[in-house]
Each structure stands twice: as structure tokens, then as C-alpha cells.
Amino acid sequence: MKIAFVEPGRPRSGTIVVGVLEDRKLTPTAAALDKETGGALKRAIAASRFTGRKDDMLGVLAPPHLAVGRVLLVGLGKAVSLDEAAMQTLGGAIVGQLNSVGESEAAVALDRLDGMKPKPADAAANLAFGARLRAYRFDKYRTKEKPEQKPTLRSLAVMTRDAAAARRAFAPLEEVAKGVFFTRDLVSEPANIIYPETLAAAARQLTRVGVQVEVLDERQMKRLGMGALLGVGQGSAKPPRLVVMQWKGGAKGRAAQPVAFIGKGVTFDTGGISIKPADGMWDMKWDMGGAGVVIGLMRALAGRKAKVNAVGVIGLVENMPSGMAQRPGDIVTSMSGQTIEVLNTDAEGRLVLADALWYCQDRFKPKFMVDLATLTGAIIIALGSEHAGLFSNNDELASRLAAAGAAVGEKLWRLPLADAYDRMMDSDAADIKNISGGRDASSITAAQFLQRFVNNVPWAHLDIAGTTWSKKDAATVPKGATAFGVRLLDRLVAEHYER
Ligand code: BES
Ligand code: MN
Ligand code: ZN
């Protein structure tokens, strides 16, 4: 879909999209169009349930005296409620609507409204950003789809008085969208296509946008003592990888301390010898969602040339049962030196992260670490897909993350960490075990496990098992891979960590 910013005018084909405020109050352009059509818009509104509330939409076909095929009235609610996130939602909803009616081109008229928060250029840019995010589709394997089954919308023009300023405001957002799409693509791919080596190769592509990328192989990880990560990978024919990405857009020298993001990259999780049931196992192709987000985030930061030093570390393994696989009861030694009793081979994400987290803090001494992982089914029981779980040893980092999430619509809910939960992971045979042995608080005990490998660095863990994949379309997130976390962490960096 092509997006353009143009000066206000009357398009001669397709759809013109105009806003209506709460209580059927027409915006200036809507009022002008109503006049030009001899009152057709007001009559259409009167004959419908449309009142101008947010999410209300009404299409008016073949309006008299206009060249366009349709006027789409969109409810704006109250002007004061229109912040950047609301503009994104609006842009996404417009794209969803236009595709559902088979439209191929449209122009959105954005009026300056009293009380509206963003500047006109930012409002236009954010509407376009939301439109862009919604227009994503992963359809490379649908070879028999007919053209009429595909989304129809080919071009969207956003009409605004300062088109040049809108274009400038859109440029960094478009880079974030590219990061989001990179993540969605990687997470959508099946596990016969994306496995540790190919996911590492995808991360390597970021060198093109200026990210330094290193890929550690099995031998190098062995030398570093990453027995926890390697134990998970040993049952697979696909060798594991650890990828380190660095974006150096920030200060040099002593002030260069980076921020760090760590991702769980289990490219397929069968559960290993503690094998999962067949039903739904296909979902475990997206058990590399955390790693996918870290890659897309690095793409976004580099693309918009963020003034920050950022490190991304992703641990990539495939968790398979085989004659080589690790067994329940095996004891492995992690890079930290701590020994781990592996009682359940399906609690593998924490084993991968244990070594990735330790390696990250040991090598980079980061300001903070945020890890992302599709870690526990229990977080879906607790929070569904509305919020991701947030766990942290640092209140400032936790509140910054929660605020960034609220601002971009990727919401987080904090859960507690405490010594009593930590003790549930003590093992009789080793320093720690990888499951508590009961179902109680199992998202929390998973986080407690991770905390033993962060060496007191400010750290937060995002359990994204419930938010990485979506079963229904949302305004800016079509169903499928969501890339939940890319926009959130990009925002966190932009708000607090750029020089
Ligand atoms: N990848 C799963 C968690 C998961 C489940 C993600 C459903 C997305 C959807 C993880 O590796 C896992 O298997 N966790 C176990 C832990 C248990 C063995 C302690 C779980 O949640 O059941
Ligand atoms: Mn598992
Ligand atoms: Zn897993």
C-alpha cells in the first residue's frame, strides 16, 4: 500500500474519508462536503446509527455532485481524546474498513480541531503509521489466492495543510514499522524455514542498516560454558546459535554504557523429552517471538538512527526429543557457574535465557537488561492477551516500561518477585531446578529462575506468551504475529535513553 501526504483538495476517485465528532458534529471538511452534496451526508447520518463515537463508521455511496465513489464518515469521539495513539487506531481502522468493502484508493481529510493534542503534522503521521501497521499481511505461501481475495487498498493519501512536515514526522515511524514487519515476518515463518542458523542469518541482514552482528556457534558457546543453552539444543539436528547485535548511535567513551535487550529464540518447542501434546503444538513455531522482537527492535532503532547504544542478544535453539536430547533429571552447568537440575525439558526458555542474560551482563555491563520471552502458558491464564507480564528488580525501569506500553497500546501488568518464590526453585541435587514442581505461581517462579542469572543488574522480564500471536484483527495489528514489544521498547528508548 502506498502512502502519501498531500495538500487538502477534492479527490476525483475512490473514497474520501472525513471525521465526525461526538453527537453527529461534522468536522469542517465533512460540513463542506455535506453542503456540496446537498445535505446527503447529514441525511445518511440521520438514517443510521452513526453518532460520531470512536469506532463508528458509515460509508455513503455515490454521493451526489462529487467525483468520488464513496464518502467514509469516521467517528472521532471527543477532539480532546485524539492523541497520537488514537490517530494510529483511526488510521488502522480506516484501512480495515476500506479493505472490507473492496476499495482501492482513498484520501483522508484531516482537519485541525479545537482541543486536539498532536500538531497537525504529527496527527497525520500517526494516522499514516496506524494505516501502515494494519496493512501488513503474511501471504507468501498462499499461491492460489485470487486477486479479489487479496486486500484491495493500494493507495492512501493523507490530506494535511503541512504535508512536508507530516512527511518528516512519518519518516522515523516508517522505520519503526519496518522493524515491526521484520519481526512479524520472522515470527510467522514456520520452523522448517526459520531455525537457529536461518534466524541468525536474518539477524545478520541488519548489518545493511548499520548494526554490528556477531553469530556464535556451538563451539564458541561451549568454550564460554553455556551448558544451559546447549543442553536445550542438543536433541536437535539443527545446531544452536547465539546472536549479538550492536547499534552504536549513542555516546562514545565512558558514557557509552549500552541498554540491552535479550530474546528467547526457541525456533520450535516440542517440549523435548517432556513432550507436549499434539493438539496446538504448531503454535510453538512462534516460541522465538522474543528473539524476533529483539531483531525488529534493533532494525527500528538503527533505521531511525536512534541516539543510543543498544545491544541485542538472542539465544537460538530448537527443542526436540531424540536419542541425543537431554533427559529429565539431567544436571547442566550454566555460564554463570550455577548448576541446574532440568526436571522438565519443556521449561527450556529459562535455560536459554540463563546463559544469554549472564553473557550479556558479563560482556556489556549494560545500564539495564530487558528480556522478552514466550515463557509460560500460565501468563496466558493470568492475563490473557490484553497485557504481557512484567517482572523487575527495579521500580524505575518497571514504571518506565509500563508507561511506554500504555502509550503505544502494548500494555504490561507487573507481577511480584519475592524470596519466598525464589526458594521454590531450590534443588536438592543442584543449585537450582528449572521447575518448581507445582503449578502455583508458575509465571513468577519462571521469572525467579531468570533473576538468578542477572547478577543484580537492573532488569525486567516481559512474558509475552499471551501477546506474541493474535487470533483476531485489531486496529493496528492484523491477526497473526503481533511484534508486541517492538513499539514499546522503541518508545522506552526514545523517552528515556537517547542523548
Ligand atoms: N513456550 C512455552 C510456553 C508457551 C505456552 C508459550 C503456550 C506460548 C503458548 C514454554 O517453553 C513452556 O513450555 N512452558 C511450560 C513451563 C512448565 C513446564 C513449567 C508451560 O508453560 O507449561
Ligand atoms: Mn517449553
Ligand atoms: Zn518454550
Side-chain angles (χ1 to χ4, degrees):
M1 187 181 72
K2 271 179 57 181
I3 292 181
F5 296 94
V6 302
E7 302 294 326
R10 288 287 177 268
R12 277 184 294 278
S13 56
T15 293
I16 182 166
V17 184
V18 290
V20 178
L21 292 157
E22 207 172 55
D23 297 328
R24 303 179 177 82
K25 190 171 180 312
L26 302 187
T27 57
T29 305
L33 285 176
D34 184 56
K35 247 200 186 136
E36 291 164 37
T37 57
L41 302 189
K42 276 192 175 152
R43 279 201 305 281
I45 292 171
S48 76
R49 285 185 168 156
F50 180 93
T51 66
R53 264 184 325 218
K54 264 199 187 121
D55 300 336
D56 259 2
M57 294 221 189
L58 179 64
V60 180
L61 290 169
H65 315 299
L66 293 181
V68 291
R70 178 186 348 248
V71 177
L72 179 62
L73 302 172
V74 293
L76 303 175
K78 287 191 173 64
V80 289
S81 71
L82 292 172
D83 55 11
E84 291 181 357
M87 295 312 296
Q88 293 172 20
T89 302
L90 193 63
I94 289 168
V95 167
Q97 175 68 19
L98 292 170
N99 273 323
S100 77
V101 298
E103 183 56 274
S104 61
E105 57 174 324
V108 184
L110 267 187
D111 293 313
R112 180 180 229 128
L113 302 170
D114 286 341
M116 186 168 154
K117 274 165 239 154
K119 287 190 283 213
D122 291 324
N126 278 281
L127 183 136
F129 183 44
R132 174 69 91 225
L133 290 171
R134 177 60 178 273
Y136 174 85
R137 196 164 185 253
F138 185 81
D139 54 10
K140 63 193 275 200
Y141 298 115
R142 301 195 197 180
T143 66
K144 293 193 168 164
E145 205 173 34
K146 297 186 183 69
E148 63 268 23
Q149 294 169 305
K150 296 201 188 260
T152 49
L153 193 63
R154 282 199 312 273
S155 76
L156 186 75
V158 183
M159 300 192 287
T160 168
R161 286 210 187 286
D162 198 350
R167 248 169 249 137
R168 280 194 299 277
F170 184 54
L173 296 175
E174 182 138 58
E175 293 301 322
V176 176
K178 284 180 190 163
V180 166
F181 293 173
F182 197 21
T183 300
R184 288 181 185 170
D185 283 346
L186 294 172
V187 174
S188 302
E189 288 283 1
N192 59 327
I193 304 297
I194 285 292
Y195 44 91
E197 291 156 292
T198 53
L199 190 48
R204 251 205 222 289
Q205 291 175 15
L206 295 188
T207 52
R208 282 190 227 146
V209 289
V211 176
Q212 293 172 15
V213 183
E214 298 159 59
V215 179
L216 277 61
D217 64 15
E218 222 168 340
R219 211 177 36 124
Q220 291 165 295
M221 286 189 272
K222 235 171 232 157
R223 214 176 293 143
L224 287 163
M226 296 188 172
L229 184 153
L230 290 170
V232 177
Q234 78 188 31
S236 170
K238 309 281 192 203
R241 292 288 184 264
L242 186 95
V243 180
V244 181
M245 294 160 273
Q246 295 184 71
W247 166 248
K248 295 177 179 169
K252 296 202 165 62
R254 267 172 47 77
Q257 200 186 19
V259 297
F261 304 98
I262 298 90
K264 168 180 172 180
V266 176
T267 59
F268 196 77
D269 180 12
T270 63
I273 296 299
S274 314
I275 198 162
K276 289 181 180 296
D279 200 34
M281 201 200 276
W282 47 83
D283 278 340
M284 289 301 105
K285 74 170 183 179
W286 46 263
D287 209 20
M288 37 59 71
V293 167
V294 172
I295 295 171
L297 172 67
M298 297 302 287
R299 169 77 184 78
L301 294 175
R304 67 173 183 79
K305 304 218 172 341
K307 293 183 168 53
V308 68
N309 296 321
V311 173
V313 176
I314 53 177
L316 310 181
V317 298
E318 186 181 53
N319 188 22
M320 296 289 270
S322 79
M324 296 285 284
Q326 74 179 339
R327 294 144 291 255
D330 281 6
I331 296 176
V332 296
T333 303
S334 66
M335 183 184 174
S336 73
Q338 298 174 89
T339 55
I340 305 168
E341 188 184 15
V342 180
L343 291 177
N344 188 319
T345 64
D346 197 11
E348 84 298 339
R350 61 197 76 181
L351 297 169
V352 173
L353 288 173
D355 281 334
L357 285 163
W358 187 268
Y359 174 84
C360 182
Q361 61 79 32
D362 182 56
R363 175 170 170 191
F364 294 106
K365 313 282 181 264
K367 269 197 194 83
F368 66 74
M369 299 194 285
V370 176
D371 77 72
L372 301 107
T374 48
L375 202 63
T376 65
I379 204 70
I380 309 176
I381 306 296
L383 302 175
S385 54
E386 276 307 305
H387 292 84
L390 162 64
F391 304 82
S392 184
N393 62 2
N394 184 288
D395 291 344
E396 183 184 61
L397 179 59
S399 59
R400 286 177 172 183
L401 280 162
V408 303
E410 294 179 341
K411 290 172 284 178
L412 302 176
W413 194 263
R414 191 174 181 183
L415 286 97
L417 294 167
D419 282 343
Y421 297 117
D422 178 73
R423 283 194 294 273
M424 292 164 74
M425 302 307 280
D426 285 339
S427 159
D428 290 335
D431 297 330
I432 187 170
K433 53 188 179 184
N434 79 328
I435 54 165
S436 67
R439 293 198 303 165
D440 294 7
S442 61
S443 296
I444 300 175
T445 51
Q448 293 293 164
F449 181 98
L450 299 180
Q451 193 177 8
R452 293 209 193 181
F453 299 88
V454 303
N455 212 6
N456 292 319
V457 171
W459 153 80
H461 157 57
L462 308 184
D463 193 333
I464 56 172
T467 55
T468 292
W469 194 267
S470 161
K471 290 193 184 105
K472 58 178 199 312
D473 287 336
T476 58
V477 186
K479 69 180 177 192
T482 63
F484 182 105
V486 174
R487 286 193 277 162
L488 161 69
L489 295 174
D490 175 72
R491 177 70 171 235
L492 175 81
V493 168
E495 291 255 290
H496 300 289
Y497 300 101
E498 293 195 48
R499 69 177 156 87

